[in-house]
Amino acid sequence: MTDELSLLEKAALLSGASVWETRAIERAGIRALNLSDGPHGIRKQLGSGDHLGINASAKATCFPTAATVANSWDLDLAMQVGEALGAEAAALDVDVVLGPGLNIKRSPLCGRNFEYFSEDPYLSGKLAGAYVRGIQSQGVSACPKHFAANSQEHRRMASDSVVDERTLREIYLTAFEMVVREAAPKAIMSSYNKVNGEYAHESTHLLQDILRDEWGFDGAVVSDWGGSNDAVQAVKAGGTLEMPSPGLDSARQLLDAVAAGDLTEEQLDVRVAEIRVLVERIDPSLARAVDVEAHHALARRVAEASHVLLKNDDDLLPLASGTRIAVIGDFAETPRYQGAGSSLVNPTRLSSAVEAITASSLDLVTYAQGFRRTGGEDEALATEAVAAARDADVVLLYLGLDETSESEGNDRTHLELPHNQVVLLNRLRQATDRIVVVLSAGSVVEMPWIDDARAVLHGYLGGQAGAEATVAVLTGEVNPSGRLAETYPLHLEDNPSHAYYPGRAETAEYREGLYVGYRYYLTAHAPSLFPFGYGLSYTTFEYSDVAVDDAGITFTVTNTGAVAGAEVAQVYVGRSSTGVHRPVRELKGFRKVALEPGASVTVTVPFDEYTFRHYSASRGAWAVEAGRYWVGVGASVEDIRGEGTVEVAGETATMDGVAELPAYYSGQVAQVSDAEFAQLLGHPIPAVTTERRALGPNDPLLAMHQAPSPLARLAASVLRSLIARAERKGKPDLNLYFLYNMPFRAIGKMTNGAVSQEMVGSIVTLVNGRHLRGLGGLISGFGRNRRASRELEAQLAAASAATPERVSA
Ligand code: BGC
């Protein structure tokens, strides 16, 4: 199948032609594919390509981000979003949509949590699977990302996730497994980080043993942008396509490896076949014109279904028509509706709260900005807001996180709302007790101020129609049915990963093990502000006739209130008998049901292959322990409305390691000792150092703080202060974040062949203080790289002009 290709052509096919395109070999019927972000809207760049959303892109519908859609718990809607993304991609000649993102929210601090679904793998896997099916129904390919264990932005391209095999499988891989098995993505994106010492894009364990052999994935593995390391090892391990373009530098390395006998042509052929299959599996003939209005309406429906009503004392909401409203807060005029970074979409339309309220049945008396978006006190704005509050029946106070607070490339350092917003709320509270806080944020915030608000409605990042959706919920046109897909801790410090997150040196230690999110709070009896699965409605639901049998759980839900609404019935499973350590309960199914007042529905949620299994690290296999399991259904992980137990056949249960793993057996994982973590890992904890030392090509630029060369240390400080300056201005500089966290080798990977890996070596020599030698190497390397690239380009051009017979490299 690949015989008509020369060795050089094969090698060249395995890396990109530009920032967004793969290479074409027309004579062999291989066309160039366009890959574009991203998870909540298509970002097809128009001019020069950059991968961080800095240059302009074509207009596209900006749907709510994944963190928002997750709150809908609605697989049908998620699939519709996928279909719309796929349709827009096809219309823009995009072949591969770089999403959805389904990394697990290990900590609420992760700067990219707004792009991910949940702290729970089952919910993430089901939703991401629905996106993938939707996207691919339009003839294009989805590219679920980032595989795997990529849960922090700090040192994101140069961090090693140290995680025990059981936790890796049960928490960080299960969602990907569900997507692969249930939605058959044509491509998957490997993550930047290492997992237990190996780069994800060159890990045989991840890419061959698990992804392909166990789960049956037969598509292409695409590296994250600049995330490939050793091109030869990637080919051996199962990494198909290196993106963006490293010029022909990687191709050269592959040719050298074949010449040296380190790589066989057959190994290369396997990866080349994956590229060809990807090209063949994409069907551009399905492209059709996009109905922009219909997609805006869909974006609104999704946002409506994703709003989470967190508090509603005395039924302040919904607001009757004609209610005299003061709208306060900068976010009401300038919505925060998506996050910064590679997912940034250029929306087809954008509605603001002020516009949506003006068009609603509410009586908008005044709008006041209230506070400066990027922080700092402003007495004039506050005074104006207090006066506006006095003059209205109800205050709608739009608070949130500004653009600098959550961004790709940068983790958050706290979970607070900006201080000036909290101060304003407190002042308004002295003028009125009828305050509804409307929140815009892609992730968790602490709410020590919650007593000052009578109602709190969380819209997350609602996409281009989010503001309209919020107003529909405020007025009761839509009954809120969103439920939290992540736990809201009382304090950041309560989070189980807090002591270990983010990994600041070379490693990120996943010491909390399985106890991520609610799995921890429940097992360790730690209180939270709002539990996983929580959300209020304008109606009430009752559960009855709960029955558990061998096949699943059956129950009846009745709408016992006065208005129509939707309930998310959540099924949790725990173990009643003793056995290996495990969380008290885990989500194993859910169903969203819409009910008219007084109506009932009987639902059966069947058990499946994920219900009772755990990963037996000692046996290196999934296992089901024989014994009794608890099964419950409820309105949140802490609000169980009916339960039963079931006896399951399986292997004899053991209390393996109960003496050696006391923290894991009790769930008290906030401070796991070195010895116990090493025991869990089954090997010593990898050593790290923050001392001054010689750096290597895989150290990030931020490690120049440790470099021998004073010039390099100065460069690191300059970078850091430029980042701080941009943050102070309220405009996060994504390029700087990227550079700071990027390893030296990526200078080669991201410069379209201008810098070879040999030249990267010379840069590292410079950084290590051998200035003359480094500079000399850089200059001579530059010449060598240019000559070699030109030569290979000429050979490639000759090959493509040649007849189909074989051309040798
Ligand atoms: C991000 C990916 C994204 C890629 C291309 C990377 O920096 O991690 O999620 O798809 O850039 O923009």
Side-chain angles (χ1 to χ4, degrees), residues 161-175:
S161 298
V162 178
V163 52
D164 68 281
E165 187 69 17
R166 179 171 170 207
T167 300
L168 181 67
R169 300 285 192 138
E170 292 186 25
I171 304 294
Y172 297 98
L173 297 188
T174 291

Side-chain angles (χ1 to χ4, degrees), residues 20 37 43 51-52 98 112 115 145-146 156 189 192 224-225 342 408 738:
W20 301 117
D37 286 299
R43 188 170 67 92
H51 80 292
L52 294 172
L98 302 176
R112 268 186 115 165
E115 275 189 73
K145 63 191 186 184
H146 309 88
R156 66 180 176 146
M189 188 189 290
Y192 280 137
D224 198 348
W225 267 231
S342 59
E408 176 174 346
F738 191 81

Side-chain angles (χ1 to χ4, degrees), residues 352-705:
S352 77
V354 171
E355 288 160 3
I357 293 167
T358 307
S360 76
S361 61
L362 302 173
D363 178 5
L364 173 57
V365 182
T366 346
Y367 162 71
Q369 184 187 333
F371 53 84
R372 279 195 259 136
R373 196 178 185 94
T374 49
E377 306 309 319
D378 189 318
E379 186 51 37
L381 289 181
T383 310
E384 182 196 18
V386 172
R390 287 218 170 90
D391 198 25
D393 299 336
V394 171
V395 169
L396 295 180
L397 179 58
Y398 280 74
L399 303 180
L401 297 178
D402 69 301
E403 286 67 14
T404 55
S405 303
E406 299 173 282
S407 170
E408 176 174 346
N410 195 31
D411 294 314
R412 297 162 71 191
T413 52
H414 61 79
L415 300 181
E416 292 161 25
L417 280 184
H419 183 65
N420 60 347
Q421 297 184 30
V422 178
V423 170
L424 177 69
L425 167 60
N426 191 259
R427 284 190 53 183
L428 294 172
R429 174 66 187 82
Q430 285 153 35
T432 174
D433 68 349
R434 294 168 68 78
I435 301 173
V436 179
V437 167
V438 178
L439 278 175
S440 303
S443 176
V444 168
V445 291
E446 290 168 357
M447 301 185 199
W449 42 261
I450 196 163
D451 289 346
D452 285 345
R454 187 88 75 89
V456 179
L457 178 64
H458 202 336
Y460 270 71
L461 300 179
Q464 66 180 49
E468 297 163 39
T470 302
V471 174
V473 172
L474 291 169
T475 58
E477 181 193 331
V478 166
N479 188 349
S481 62
R483 306 289 186 259
L484 293 176
E486 57 191 327
T487 309
Y488 274 56
L490 284 162
H491 314 284
L492 167 63
E493 297 71 25
D494 300 341
N495 185 269
S497 68
H498 183 63
Y500 330 118
Y501 186 97
R504 293 237 160 252
E506 295 94 311
T507 60
E509 297 177 353
Y510 287 47
R511 288 199 188 210
E512 71 285 352
L514 302 172
Y515 301 94
V516 174
Y518 72 84
R519 285 169 165 76
Y520 165 75
Y521 292 96
L522 242 80
T523 312
H525 306 290
S528 61
L529 176 62
F530 296 117
F532 177 80
Y534 171 86
L536 302 174
S537 164
Y538 297 149
T539 187
T540 46
F541 298 97
E542 255 176 44
Y543 289 69
S544 57
D545 304 322
V546 178
V548 175
D549 63 21
D550 290 352
I553 179 168
T554 301
F555 51 89
T556 298
V557 185
T558 305
N559 180 345
T560 49
V563 290
E567 169 71 332
V568 178
Q570 303 155 40
V571 173
Y572 295 93
V573 173
R575 190 166 156 82
S576 309
S577 319
T578 54
V580 293
H581 73 268
R582 63 168 85 215
V584 165
R585 68 186 66 134
E586 298 179 280
L587 183 77
K588 296 294 179 177
F590 59 89
R591 189 70 57 78
K592 189 165 191 174
V593 290
L595 292 167
E596 292 299 318
S600 296
V601 65
T602 297
V603 173
T604 296
V605 176
F607 299 142
D608 60 25
E609 63 269 43
Y610 304 105
T611 310
F612 301 110
R613 71 178 195 177
H614 77 279
Y615 190 80
S616 165
S618 57
R619 302 216 338 255
W622 290 100
V624 172
E625 287 183 317
R628 188 158 284 279
Y629 289 79
W630 170 92
V631 183
V633 63
S636 86
V637 72
E638 288 186 5
D639 185 8
I640 300 300
R641 304 289 184 85
E643 59 194 349
T645 60
V646 61
E647 197 68 32
V648 175
E651 285 116 42
T652 310
T654 61
M655 295 275 284
D656 265 358
V658 66
E660 298 87 350
L661 301 172
Y664 296 107
Y665 266 91
S666 67
Q668 301 294 339
V669 292
Q671 297 290 341
V672 173
S673 70
D674 288 358
E676 189 168 346
F677 185 46
Q679 179 74 31
L680 183 76
L681 290 172
H683 57 77
I685 303 170
V688 295
T689 172
T690 47
E691 303 291 302
R692 187 159 299 170
R693 64 183 167 87
L695 303 186
N698 286 334
D699 281 308
L701 267 55
L702 66 83
M704 286 192 296
H705 288 295

Side-chain angles (χ1 to χ4, degrees), residues 234-284:
V235 167
K236 287 183 184 168
T240 314
L241 176 66
E242 181 178 332
M243 287 301 289
S245 174
L248 287 171
D249 196 33
S250 294
R252 218 147 65 204
Q253 290 164 33
L254 295 175
L255 294 178
D256 289 350
V258 174
D262 184 27
L263 187 72
T264 64
E265 190 164 350
E266 289 67 39
Q267 284 174 305
L268 216 53
D269 285 345
V270 176
R271 304 283 91 91
V272 170
E274 287 159 5
I275 299 270
R276 293 189 86 132
V277 168
L278 180 62
V279 173
E280 281 157 17
R281 282 179 174 168
I282 291 161
D283 181 2

